[in-house]
Amino acid sequence: MITVSNLTHRIAGKDILHDISLQIPKGQITALIGPNGAGKSTLLSAIARLTPHQTGQIMVDELEVGTSASNTLAKRLSILPQVPEIAPRLSVAELIGFGRYPYHKGHPTKVDRQKTDEAIVLFELDELHSRPLDTLSGGQKQRALLAMTYAQDTEYMLLDEPLNNLDISTSRSLMQLLRRLAETRGRTVVIVLHDINYACSYADRIVTMKDGRIGRCGAPAKIVDAGMLQHVFSTQAEVHIVNGRPLIEV
Amino acid sequence: MMYWPLCPSSNPVRSILILGFGLVVLSIASLFIGVIDLRPGDLWRDRAALELVVVSRGPRLFAILITGAALAVCGKILQMLMKNRFVEPMTVGTGQGAALGILIAAIFFPTAPLLSQMGIAAISALIASLGFIAMARRLPPTQPFLVALVGIVYGGILGAIMVFIAFQADLLQYIDIWLTGEFSGVLQGRYELLWLAALVAALSYLAADQFAIAGMGRAASINLGLNYTQVVLIGLVAISLVTAMTVVTVGMLPFVGLIVPNIVSRLYGDNLRHTLPVVAMMGAGLVLAADILGRVVRYPFEIPVGVVLGVVGAVLFIWLLYRPARYAG
Amino acid sequence: MPGKRLVIMTGLMAVCMVFHMTLGTRGSWDFVLPFRGTKLAALLLVAVAVSTSTLLFQTVARNRILTPSIMGFDALYVLIVTLSVFAIGAQSYGTLPPMVQFFLSLAIMVAASMLLFGTLLLHRKEDIVRMILTGIILGVLFRAVNSFVMRMIDPNEYSVIQTSSYARFSRIETDLLGISAVLVLITLALVWRMRHRLDVLALGREAAINLGEDPRRDTVQILLLIAVLVSVSTAFVGPVAFLGLLVTSLTHVITPTAHHAILLPSAALISAIALIGGQTLLEHGLALSTPLAVVIDSFGGILFLFLILKRART
């Protein structure tokens, strides 16, 4: 379980995150939703120690973020930032191989190679295997990055808008893969999603955010309604229930 | 709001008076600082003292005032033409081009009169400037630092080529003279070219409005009925002439053309007609102060003004890089 | 593929070394061999120090145009030496053993470069061009202050200033060769141990943290190593300007990979070939009086300009 207590983050006197306390349960997909500038990415960065947090405490199971060894955390939790900078000359396989770095520190074993190959197959990157990253399309690059995060093989995966650049078929298969990981292997996924319908269809739990504060949290069917949309996104939209899950009219 | 200590007001007329007063004080001081002890009273009693002023101290003072003023004005014009505040003749290859020209003249036409050698230097400076403009045109206008960076490296390459030639021709000892500006060699009969530079700078004041319009860009110029290419070319010729005359007579003086116009435009904005006289006076004042400093700091020896300006100018340049642009007026 | 190229370059370097030792020799071998041998060792040391420090810097700065020289590192070292002479006094400084002189400058260099370039790198804003410009102007400033202080020490000494502004590969002071070699070898060993960490750092700050590295700590460590390498090379030959850029650019062309385990030896070989081969060619082949540094500067400068212009267009 990831436990965030009383987390506040200020930049230039402005609260980006305001006294956030939150528990993210294990073995589930938790979707973070909210309008632009709500603080979703900052929260994710803070949990993943990309942004050192100023006040409050973040625990990933028994590991405290900020004091625990970074390498120990790297085997427990991985993050895919929204706009990752990547070295353009790397090949796809090399990039994915880096996901194993926390385990092998530059000396890959047989297990590491297996995990890398598994990720390549799973994300259908076989044909792009030795292509340099700067020759890939946006969607292919995104898939390679996701494969790297997958190869890191951590209990917790934090994904910041991973569906960017992905077409509907890749988006759906990624979400289905994440569901399988959660259900069959007990993985915990925290995912920032732009499209609330994806959150409704695939997430176990939705956390709404606005102006650096946490809003309503809970199962999609419980919290997604016209009132929530009006409050969090300031938009009037009808919500239908399809197969027991909410569907928002766009 | 940043205030320049010399002129605590944004009113050009008042600061011209203050600057003028400062210049007069510094100029008088300049006349009486030197290895040979000279006091104001001596001028009436001692013929040798008067001669010292006429032959050496006086020409030196004129040379300083003219180069300072002319370089600052040229820097301002170049900045207008390029629409970039981080360029000046000595950092975009014009100065190095002039030095390269005079080196070529020294190798191939060693007996030519000074004026023709100067002409070669000016042409070479002009070619170097055109080369820079050609490169700068290809750079995105949204990146002002990039233009400055390319200019500095371009100047550095010209400098390296010059050193290469000088090594082969065994003229290395001259390079230092051209690359490091120094006024100690200025004597009556050896600096008069600079009056021509003063004339060019003064003439460019008359064309101030044209330069200002050209600074708005090609489209705006054509819209206002101005021959853009012609104005830019005239500006470059003026800059090249002044730079060549400076480099030939006293050597390169870095950063004057960059620092002074920036400070002035921060204080008074960019109305060339109003600010060019301030730019000229402040340029003269900066070089004069740097020269006096170089003369007293290691008395009785002299530290070349180019070295002093290098230190002061580099510090101010870095300061400019990290200050948000802010203009009064 | 890169392995094969490394072998070819090693062969090429060996050829250069043989030519360097044997071309145009006159007089007894007993004199020539030790004399040229020490010079060769010094050139090798400088070559590796320059290539490695440049690669390290490009990795922490995540930019292939920046080099320690362009950012003013070696100008800083020259300035520190001059300032030490000024502070201690030329005569007392002259009586200090060369070893003490060197380690004094080295210590100040490490501290100063941490302070200056650490701040610049760790608080870097997105504007890389401004950072390069700052570095170049810092270099100009260091050189100007250096020349100022030199004239304060000895107003008539022009030759000192001239030699300090260009690298001198032809006459190298070899007093400190032994201790410098040890220092460089230790540094290189540390760098080699870091090679995989360098690969991860090159991925960018966020990716490096995600993979369990600490980019802040690593940047500081790497800057320290760079300071040592630059100090050694500058102490031997003076500022090298564009050599590092020339070498790393070629390295990325000849061995296009992201693995430092290949990049580091490849750059070292290219650097050694350029320096030893170039020096031998200039001295014996072309009989040019122009120092190699000036030639490297001209080509390196043009390359730098080309890279900047290319970057601007994309």
Side-chain angles (χ1 to χ4, degrees):
Chain A
M1 183 155 69
I2 296 176
T3 314
V4 178
S5 347
N6 307 105
L7 179 69
T8 296
H9 190 80
R10 307 173 137 248
I11 297 174
K14 191 174 170 273
D15 276 7
I16 305 296
L17 294 176
H18 184 86
D19 196 26
I20 288 201
S21 294
L22 177 71
Q23 294 198 328
I24 296 170
K26 239 178 170 161
Q28 291 191 356
I29 296 183
T30 302
L32 281 178
I33 62 168
N36 295 335
K40 297 165 300 203
S41 295
T42 312
L43 178 59
L44 228 52
S45 304
I47 296 174
R49 76 210 175 286
L50 299 187
T51 311
H53 60 280
Q54 295 154 338
T55 55
Q57 195 193 35
I58 302 170
M59 300 289 295
V60 177
D61 296 333
E62 79 287 3
L63 302 173
E64 185 181 353
V65 175
T67 56
S68 302
S70 188
N71 189 53
T72 315
L73 266 172
K75 292 182 229 170
R76 187 74 61 89
L77 168 148
S78 56
I79 182 167
L80 177 61
Q82 197 176 350
V83 202
E85 10 164 13
I86 41 168
R89 307 288 165 91
L90 284 177
S91 75
V92 171
E94 282 171 332
L95 178 79
I96 298 170
F98 272 115
R100 302 300 302 165
Y101 179 81
Y103 304 90
H104 64 58
K105 292 280 173 184
H107 307 280
T109 61
K110 217 173 130 188
V111 179
D112 295 315
R113 292 209 184 85
Q114 267 169 14
K115 294 268 183 193
T116 309
D117 292 342
E118 186 190 319
I120 290 174
V121 174
L122 199 58
F123 286 85
E124 295 168 7
L125 291 161
D126 319 56
E127 283 175 18
L128 304 173
H129 183 273
S130 41
R131 283 264 296 276
L133 289 174
D134 55 359
T135 63
L136 302 187
S137 73
Q140 292 169 327
K141 231 182 256 176
Q142 184 74 0
R143 258 159 59 210
L145 286 162
L146 281 162
M148 170 184 165
T149 315
Y150 175 83
Q152 201 174 335
D153 199 17
T154 55
E155 209 167 317
Y156 296 90
M157 293 172 83
L158 313 185
L159 309 172
D160 196 350
E161 301 207 11
L163 304 186
N164 277 353
N165 290 320
L166 297 186
D167 56 28
I168 184 162
S169 120
T170 329
S171 294
R172 291 185 69 231
S173 48
L174 172 69
M175 293 312 293
Q176 283 158 7
L177 170 70
L178 293 177
R179 273 244 61 89
R180 279 207 305 282
L181 286 175
E183 281 162 17
T184 60
R185 299 200 202 166
R187 294 294 169 80
T188 311
V189 178
V190 187
I191 184 167
V192 175
L193 286 174
H194 209 61
D195 187 331
I196 309 168
N197 280 331
Y198 273 97
C200 293
S201 310
Y202 294 98
D204 298 297
R205 211 161 160 269
I206 287 182
V207 172
T208 61
M209 282 188 80
K210 192 185 180 184
D211 299 332
R213 291 161 209 265
I214 300 283
R216 293 173 66 183
C217 309
K222 288 216 179 98
I223 67 157
V224 177
D225 53 35
M228 186 279 277
L229 292 175
Q230 175 65 43
H231 180 249
V232 176
F233 292 95
S234 315
T235 183
Q236 287 180 322
E238 268 186 60
V239 179
H240 306 284
I241 303 292
V242 178
N243 294 336
R245 285 186 174 264
L247 179 74
I248 294 138
E249 194 167 278
V250 287
Chain B
M1 187 70 210
M2 203 276 320
Y3 287 117
W4 185 245
L6 264 179
C7 28
S9 120
S10 298
N11 176 357
V13 178
R14 212 180 127 192
S15 45
I16 284 178
L17 288 177
I18 297 172
L19 267 172
F21 179 72
L23 266 181
V24 171
V25 172
L26 281 177
S27 301
I28 293 171
S30 170
L31 285 179
F32 296 100
I33 294 170
V35 180
I36 301 172
D37 194 31
L38 181 70
R39 282 163 213 288
D42 296 346
L43 294 181
W44 284 269
R45 281 174 255 123
D46 193 346
R47 241 194 103 70
L50 192 63
E51 207 172 288
L52 177 70
V53 170
V54 171
V55 172
S56 163
R57 300 268 171 92
R60 178 176 190 146
L61 176 62
F62 285 131
I64 292 168
L65 294 177
I66 293 170
T67 33
L71 282 179
V73 167
C74 282
K76 181 73 206 175
I77 294 173
L78 187 67
Q79 288 172 18
M80 287 305 253
L81 293 179
M82 303 280 309
K83 278 198 281 185
N84 188 313
R85 294 185 179 280
F86 300 98
V87 296
E88 64 127 340
M90 300 298 173
T91 63
V92 302
T94 313
Q96 288 83 354
L100 199 56
I102 191 75
L103 178 66
I104 290 166
I107 293 172
F108 295 104
F109 315 100
T111 55
L114 189 59
L115 203 62
S116 3
Q117 296 207 345
M118 207 287 302
I120 295 173
I123 291 168
S124 163
L126 181 63
I127 294 171
S129 320
L130 287 172
F132 171 67
I133 299 248
M135 267 187 298
R137 281 252 166 96
R138 293 154 171 257
L139 299 174
T142 47
Q143 291 214 29
F145 297 140
L146 193 62
V147 177
L149 182 60
V150 166
I152 289 175
V153 177
Y154 174 66
I157 296 172
L158 292 180
I161 294 173
M162 189 165 80
V163 173
F164 183 92
I165 298 176
F167 257 106
Q168 295 303 324
D170 207 15
L171 286 170
L172 201 60
Q173 66 275 25
Y174 290 104
I175 293 274
D176 213 45
I177 297 172
W178 296 318
L179 290 188
T180 314
E182 195 167 11
F183 288 105
S184 60
V186 171
L187 289 173
Q188 191 184 23
R190 284 176 54 185
Y191 83 106
E192 280 71 8
L193 261 182
L194 285 176
W195 286 103
L196 208 57
L199 183 69
V200 174
L203 282 177
S204 61
Y205 178 67
L206 298 179
D209 289 336
Q210 276 90 326
F211 292 136
I213 294 171
M216 293 181 210
R218 190 186 182 86
S221 311
I222 294 168
N223 179 37
L224 292 170
L226 196 74
N227 188 335
Y228 177 73
T229 317
Q230 194 185 337
V231 172
V232 170
L233 204 61
I234 289 174
L236 285 183
V237 168
I239 292 165
S240 303
L241 274 173
V242 169
T243 308
M245 285 182 270
T246 308
V247 171
V248 170
T249 338
V250 295
M252 280 182 59
L253 301 184
F255 295 123
V256 180
L258 187 116
I259 301 303
V260 173
N262 270 291
I263 289 169
V264 171
S265 85
R266 258 159 205 281
L267 292 173
Y268 309 112
D270 278 332
N271 184 337
L272 271 189
R273 274 215 178 273
H274 289 154
T275 57
L276 264 190
V278 187
V279 167
M281 290 174 84
M282 206 182 272
L286 175 67
V287 176
L288 185 53
D291 187 68
I292 291 177
L293 184 70
R295 271 188 273 169
V296 295
V297 75
R298 185 70 170 91
Y299 189 82
F301 297 100
E302 274 193 28
I303 292 182
V305 67
V307 174
V308 178
L309 283 172
V311 176
V312 178
V315 171
L316 286 174
F317 194 168
I318 290 173
W319 173 75
L320 283 174
L321 279 180
Y322 286 88
R323 285 284 129 170
R326 188 182 282 168
Y327 315 111
Chain C
M1 177 79 157
K4 201 170 144 194
R5 294 194 174 174
L6 286 185
V7 172
I8 294 174
M9 285 196 289
T10 311
L12 207 57
M13 184 185 72
V15 172
C16 289
M17 287 165 82
V18 169
F19 276 136
H20 181 86
M21 293 297 286
T22 53
L23 268 189
T25 43
R26 257 168 284 147
S28 100
W29 285 98
D30 291 344
F31 169 74
V32 169
L33 281 184
F35 176 73
R36 289 205 179 175
T38 32
K39 222 178 101 180
L40 181 69
L43 276 179
L44 262 178
L45 215 55
V46 170
V48 179
V50 169
S51 72
T52 308
S53 60
T54 308
L55 265 183
L56 288 179
F57 194 76
Q58 293 187 338
T59 299
V60 283
R62 283 199 302 285
N63 182 290
R64 288 198 183 157
I65 302 179
L66 290 179
T67 75
S69 305
I70 290 172
M71 297 302 289
F73 267 75
D74 35 16
L76 178 63
Y77 182 82
V78 172
L79 175 62
I80 285 170
V81 173
T82 312
L83 279 178
S84 318
V85 175
F86 184 65
I88 300 173
Q91 293 198 328
S92 340
Y93 188 84
T95 58
L96 289 177
M99 197 89 98
V100 176
Q101 292 178 0
F102 177 64
F103 277 99
L104 180 73
S105 308
L106 180 63
I108 303 174
M109 173 71 179
V110 167
S113 54
M114 291 297 204
L115 206 69
L116 202 60
F117 300 107
T119 321
L120 209 56
L121 278 180
L122 291 175
H123 299 271
R124 59 189 247 141
K125 298 285 183 302
E126 286 316 299
D127 199 342
I128 194 85
V129 175
R130 180 161 74 174
M131 198 168 124
I132 305 179
L133 199 54
T134 308
I136 288 194
I137 300 296
L138 277 178
V140 172
L141 178 65
F142 296 152
R143 276 186 286 275
V145 174
N146 184 57
S147 145
F148 190 93
V149 176
M150 275 199 156
R151 287 171 202 256
M152 291 296 281
I153 297 168
D154 184 357
N156 292 318
E157 193 64 73
Y158 281 92
S159 54
V160 190
I161 297 153
Q162 248 171 28
T163 45
S164 68
S165 50
Y166 273 99
R168 21 164 230 285
F169 297 115
S170 46
R171 30 192 197 88
I172 299 173
E173 287 144 38
T174 45
D175 305 354
L176 295 163
L177 190 58
I179 183 73
S180 307
V182 172
L183 211 55
V184 168
L185 285 176
I186 294 174
T187 313
L188 290 180
L190 291 173
V191 172
W192 185 249
R193 273 189 55 190
M194 289 180 95
R195 64 195 185 280
H196 300 300
R197 221 188 316 160
L198 290 169
D199 292 345
V200 171
L201 281 179
L203 293 177
R205 177 182 166 272
E206 297 189 334
I209 296 178
N210 174 44
L211 295 175
E213 285 301 338
D214 181 348
R216 224 186 147 76
R217 182 202 63 200
D218 292 344
T219 302
V220 170
Q221 285 179 2
I222 292 171
L223 274 179
L224 197 141
L225 299 176
I226 293 173
V228 173
L229 291 172
V230 171
S231 300
V232 171
S233 83
T234 315
F236 272 120
V237 298
V240 291
F242 289 112
L243 175 66
L245 181 79
L246 216 53
V247 167
T248 50
S249 303
L250 276 173
T251 306
H252 291 302
V253 174
I254 295 174
T255 45
T257 167
H259 294 292
H260 285 77
I262 292 168
L263 287 176
L264 288 165
S266 170
L269 285 170
I270 293 170
S271 186
I273 293 170
L275 267 196
I276 299 170
Q279 184 62 33
T280 313
L281 193 70
L282 275 192
E283 262 178 39
H284 305 293
L286 305 175
L288 281 180
S289 53
T290 303
L292 177 62
V294 177
V295 180
I296 289 179
D297 261 15
S298 313
F299 282 111
I302 291 167
L303 172 76
F304 182 69
L305 208 54
F306 170 76
L307 289 176
I308 293 262
L309 291 173
K310 201 179 89 176
R311 218 184 92 97
R313 239 170 277 154
T314 50

